[in-house]
Amino acid sequence: MIHIEKEIWHEIPILVIVDSEKKEEPLPVLTYIHGFTSAKEHNLPLAYLMAEKGYRVLLPDCFLHGERVINLDEKQRQMKFFDIIKQNILDLKLIKEILDQRGLLLDNRFGLAGTSMGGITTAAALTQYPWIKSAAILMGTPKITIYAGQIIQEIQKQGVNLPMSTEEIEKMLESLNAIDLSMQPERLDGRPLFFWHGEKDMVVPFDHAHSFHQQILGEYKNQESIRFIPEIGAGHKVSRLAILETVKWFELQL
């Protein structure tokens, strides 16, 4: 039987999904980060499939999402998009600490994955935490600085006045460099990395992940540790194929 329990870890609401007979045992762990405007419960199908295969899956609510929503309108929350990603990275460290304190992590087998904003978080976290053993980026970009610049340009084209000065925008973009995986691909250090992206994605550019994959492919001595699956005709929505391939990936690489 698959057990689902809601807990609070360092003020982070989190769903823990695990085989009920193994819930007190150390297990390999996959933490899955949801997308913008989504919440932890939306990734239960993938979590169930992973738990069936003997993994402990953690689904946290991101800052300003799910049970952590505060009184902000959507435009205000959109302006905090990159702050949310930075907070996600800090949250991951807290999650890892609790796993270690409770003795729930088997052989340091900590995997990370995410959808859209969660995929961007995954790429960014790989620049900070060498203890992430395997990762999957679904509809995310490893080029966070370029992505931020493109979003700002698009908003400005629409004639919307940003509540930031030119100097503040430049400072914000510069602050993203430290978590930009495309600027420091050596941080991957051969760690298993999987990408899935719909070719018709109109939200997060397909080319960001695809070109990065091409860039780093030659750096992997073990070609089985790096994979990119494009899905023809798919837009900005995770397909069943993407879910099943992600589960297969972690079965092999975590």
Side-chain angles (χ1 to χ4, degrees):
M1 183 181 295
I2 302 303
H3 181 81
I4 302 173
E5 188 164 351
K6 186 173 77 175
E7 300 184 17
I8 305 293
W9 291 17
H10 285 296
E11 301 183 359
I12 304 166
I14 194 164
L15 293 179
V16 182
I17 301 91
V18 65
D19 186 320
S20 58
E21 294 183 1
K22 300 178 179 179
K23 68 176 189 172
E24 303 302 328
E25 298 177 20
L27 297 170
V29 171
L30 173 64
T31 299
Y32 198 98
I33 310 296
H34 64 73
F36 188 68
T37 74
S38 186
K40 58 187 182 301
E41 297 83 4
H42 291 240
N43 293 307
L44 279 168
L46 185 146
Y48 178 88
L49 293 173
M50 289 295 298
E52 274 194 319
K53 295 182 182 300
Y55 295 80
R56 175 176 286 106
V57 184
L58 306 179
L59 303 179
D61 268 332
C62 296
F63 179 52
L64 303 181
H65 287 74
E67 295 179 56
R68 300 170 79 179
V69 162
I70 61 174
N71 190 24
L72 289 177
D73 62 36
E74 279 310 296
K75 286 186 178 179
Q76 290 173 316
R77 184 160 62 166
Q78 285 171 359
M79 290 304 301
K80 292 187 176 293
F81 182 83
F82 296 101
D83 291 331
I84 295 167
I85 290 172
K86 290 176 181 177
Q87 185 60 52
N88 288 346
I89 294 170
L90 296 176
D91 290 351
L92 284 168
K93 184 179 180 182
L94 298 175
I95 287 168
K96 174 66 161 49
E97 286 175 357
I98 287 193
L99 286 170
D100 289 338
Q101 289 167 7
R102 297 184 182 179
L104 295 175
L105 182 59
L106 179 66
D107 299 330
N108 293 313
R109 290 163 64 188
F110 184 98
L112 180 63
T115 302
S116 193
M117 180 181 74
I120 298 171
T121 296
T122 299
L126 285 166
T127 70
Q128 304 299 303
Y129 302 134
W131 39 259
I132 298 170
K133 299 302 181 187
S134 180
I137 298 171
L138 286 74
M139 306 188 312
T141 173
K143 301 183 178 184
I144 190 171
T145 310
I146 291 175
Y147 183 58
Q150 290 175 339
I151 290 174
I152 290 167
Q153 286 179 0
E154 190 59 36
I155 291 171
Q156 290 172 335
K157 282 181 185 176
Q158 295 170 6
V160 177
N161 290 322
L162 288 167
M164 301 170 72
S165 67
T166 301
E167 185 179 343
E168 287 172 329
I169 290 172
E170 289 176 354
K171 188 174 181 180
M172 185 273 286
L173 292 174
E174 187 178 344
S175 74
L176 296 175
N177 292 345
I179 56 171
D180 191 315
L181 184 59
S182 70
M183 293 184 177
Q184 44 200 325
E186 68 279 0
R187 294 286 182 96
L188 285 171
D189 194 28
R191 285 178 288 175
L193 181 59
F194 170 88
F195 293 93
W196 175 89
H197 215 119
E199 288 190 328
K200 291 190 176 180
D201 192 335
M202 301 300 288
V203 179
V204 181
F206 171 86
D207 182 63
H208 283 200
H210 185 257
S211 60
F212 179 74
H213 170 259
Q214 295 300 306
Q215 173 193 338
I216 64 172
L217 190 57
E219 301 300 319
Y220 273 75
K221 293 179 181 178
N222 181 1
Q223 291 287 294
E224 292 183 1
S225 295
I226 178 81
R227 191 175 186 203
F228 186 99
I229 295 182
E231 189 163 344
I232 296 171
H236 196 70
K237 183 179 180 181
V238 172
S239 66
R240 177 160 175 78
L241 170 69
I243 291 172
L244 295 177
E245 291 295 336
T246 301
V247 172
K248 286 180 186 175
W249 174 257
F250 283 112
E251 265 196 286
L252 290 171
Q253 303 290 350
L254 187 62

